[in-house]
Amino acid sequence: MSQRGWMLRMAVVAAGIFLMSAGIALSIRSNLGTTPISTLPVAVNAWNLRISVGMATFLMNALFVVAQFCLLRSRFPARLWLQIPAVLFFGWTIDLCLATFG
């Protein structure tokens, strides 16, 4: 794949993650409820544990990646560790959108 194709693909992924984050933030701010996967991070944030919704989302998803590694062991491709930076970006954009829509 060419460098331009790779950069275009990463831009599309980043835009998709940002749109998902905006949707989550809008549903939280409008009191419409949360998506099932965001329920735990919102609850952790409501307990006032000084963990933002985005940070709790990152920690939960990172735990999922580690669990995936533990289950697959030798069949876990090394490229799947790239999920960690992706969920870090996802958590950061959730916090950014929550601050923007607040």
Side-chain angles (χ1 to χ4, degrees), residues 83-98:
Q83 295 175 88
I84 299 293
V87 298
L88 180 63
F89 179 68
F90 183 48
W92 179 78
T93 55
I94 288 174
D95 285 340
L96 176 69
C97 289
L98 282 170

Side-chain angles (χ1 to χ4, degrees), residues 22-34:
I24 290 169
L26 282 173
S27 69
I28 291 171
R29 289 292 187 224
S30 63
N31 290 324
L32 290 174
T34 60

Side-chain angles (χ1 to χ4, degrees), residues 39-53 56:
T39 303
L40 183 63
V42 171
V44 167
N45 179 259
W47 292 334
N48 292 326
L49 297 178
R50 297 185 184 202
I51 296 178
S52 67
V53 175

Side-chain angles (χ1 to χ4, degrees), residues 4 8 10 12 15 18 20 22 35 41-42 45-46 52 54 60-62 64-67 82 84 93-94:
R4 181 178 173 174
L8 179 64
M10 290 300 111
V12 169
F18 184 79
M20 287 188 330
T35 60
V42 171
N45 179 259
S52 67
M60 184 181 71
N61 285 318
F64 290 158
V65 173
V66 171
L82 292 174
I84 299 293
T93 55
I94 288 174

Side-chain angles (χ1 to χ4, degrees), residues 71-89:
L71 289 171
L72 294 176
R73 294 284 180 175
S74 63
R75 295 177 304 183
F76 186 82
R79 65 182 162 80
L80 291 184
W81 287 112
L82 292 174
Q83 295 175 88
I84 299 293
V87 298
L88 180 63
F89 179 68

